[in-house]
Amino acid sequence: MATLSVAPMLTSPRDDAMQLYRAFKGFGCDTTAVVKILAHRDATQRALIEQEYKAIYSEELNKRLASELSGDVKSALLLWMPDPAGRDAIIVRQSLAADNVINLKAATELMLAYMNAIRYEGTEVDWAMAEQDAMSLYKAGEKRVGTDENTFIRIFCERSRAHLAAVSTAYNRLYGRSLEKVVKSETSGNFEFALLTVLRCAENPGKYFAKVLHKAMKGMGTDESTLTRVIVTRAEIDMQYIKAEYHKKYGKSLNDAVQSETTRHYREFLLELLGPTHHP
């Protein structure tokens, strides 16, 4: 369930484009005005605003945002503007640029297989098939010397989230061990991290992202890159569930955590995407 609060149709994309232009004019940018507009427009509306802005002012809105904004709010808004597919492409490109691809061979293979696989994403599960997959994973891991990584890649990438969660349940029932522990013992490094991410998102995505957000804000300093990525990418999908899991696990609202760990316009933008505080 999303937290994005879309404004009623009282303004058109053309009106929004003109308001943004006014926010850019003068001495300094009215960042609060920019946040108030863009944080309450869905992907379709944002695309229309970009079209209108270019038609009226003969310049790309993203380029103007990049020149007018700075710091974390700039990074967050520029990541917010694309549609989900375009945003994912940006995140993947940034991630690959930041890592040594030579050390990511298995993880990269998994990522490419996951992106290219055609999966059923419904909630129905074939339990007989889930049990068969659990046995295949056992043979590919615990039962042999060494790990058959291709079997793990195939099952983790080709199965729906509901099915993979069922495989995890079946594995524990058949062999008395959690699939997560198996992944930790049979794999390592980035490949292990990638498999665990897929598995945890299949079993309980709200809980997984709540932990990621908490880790990004705990200790000395805040990991703004991770904080931005999770809130921006999940605001239009399932942020209400993530907020509920966060409150359940850490005893405080995600809004309060963001309020205390971020500053100024960046904080304004994230809180607008999160919506009002809600205790389950």
Side-chain angles (χ1 to χ4, degrees):
M1 186 175 178
T3 53
L4 178 65
S5 173
V6 179
M9 295 302 292
L10 301 177
T11 61
S12 67
R14 187 178 184 86
D15 292 332
D16 285 338
M18 295 172 70
Q19 287 187 49
L20 287 169
Y21 183 76
R22 285 195 289 271
F24 298 145
K25 291 183 67 177
F27 184 74
C29 174
D30 185 351
T31 305
T32 296
V34 174
V35 166
K36 289 290 185 182
I37 295 170
L38 295 178
H40 296 286
R41 302 297 185 267
D42 63 24
T44 300
Q45 291 169 325
R46 296 194 301 273
L48 291 172
I49 292 169
E50 287 185 281
Q51 291 176 17
E52 289 291 345
Y53 191 92
K54 185 173 183 180
I56 299 170
Y57 304 111
S58 300
E59 68 173 345
E60 299 288 345
L61 177 56
N62 276 359
K63 288 184 179 179
R64 190 62 186 266
L65 288 170
S67 65
E68 294 287 345
L69 303 174
S70 62
D72 296 319
V73 70
K74 171 182 174 179
S75 300
L77 270 164
L78 290 178
L79 190 62
W80 174 244
M81 290 303 293
D83 61 25
R87 184 187 301 135
D88 288 346
I90 291 170
I91 292 171
V92 169
R93 184 172 66 248
Q94 291 174 341
S95 298
L96 290 177
D99 279 301
N100 184 344
V101 178
I102 294 176
N103 295 328
L104 287 173
K105 182 178 179 181
T108 302
E109 185 180 344
L110 173 71
M111 181 181 68
L112 292 174
Y114 194 87
M115 289 190 298
N116 291 324
I118 299 175
R119 288 179 297 278
Y120 163 74
E121 289 296 356
T123 57
E124 294 182 7
V125 172
D126 182 337
W127 282 95
M129 184 178 177
E131 191 170 284
Q132 183 60 52
D133 282 342
M135 290 188 284
S136 295
L137 289 172
Y138 176 72
K139 293 176 183 176
E142 290 188 287
K143 192 177 180 180
R144 56 174 286 169
V145 176
T147 304
D148 177 3
E149 294 177 345
N150 289 330
T151 295
F152 277 82
I153 291 172
R154 176 177 58 79
I155 293 175
F156 275 61
C157 293
E158 295 178 2
R159 306 298 188 251
S160 70
R161 287 182 295 174
H163 182 92
L164 189 56
V167 172
S168 180
T169 298
Y171 197 101
N172 191 51
R173 186 179 67 249
L174 289 170
Y175 305 110
R177 195 173 185 205
S178 74
L179 187 54
E180 180 169 324
K181 288 183 178 179
V182 172
V183 169
K184 289 179 178 179
S185 65
E186 294 293 328
T187 61
S188 61
N190 288 299
F191 185 50
E192 174 192 344
F193 179 78
L195 288 174
L196 289 175
T197 299
V198 172
L199 180 59
R200 289 166 179 168
C201 285
E203 293 180 321
N204 190 333
K207 182 178 179 180
Y208 168 75
F209 285 114
K211 287 183 177 180
V212 172
L213 288 168
H214 179 70
K215 183 178 179 181
M217 291 185 282
K218 75 174 185 178
M220 294 294 292
T222 300
D223 180 354
E224 287 87 359
S225 177
T226 297
L227 191 62
T228 296
R229 185 183 72 250
V230 174
I231 293 178
V232 166
T233 58
R234 309 312 294 186
E236 294 178 277
I237 303 173
D238 57 359
M239 184 53 71
Q240 288 286 22
Y241 298 116
I242 297 170
K243 288 170 69 174
E245 289 288 345
Y246 193 97
H247 187 266
K248 182 169 70 174
K249 184 168 181 63
Y250 302 109
K252 68 184 296 185
S253 74
L254 178 57
N255 293 57
D256 288 345
V258 169
Q259 177 79 31
S260 63
E261 296 297 331
T262 57
T263 58
R264 301 193 64 205
H265 299 305
Y266 178 55
R267 175 171 58 206
E268 289 178 9
F269 179 62
L270 295 185
L271 291 176
E272 292 289 350
L273 292 188
L274 288 174
T277 299
H278 171 70
H279 298 309

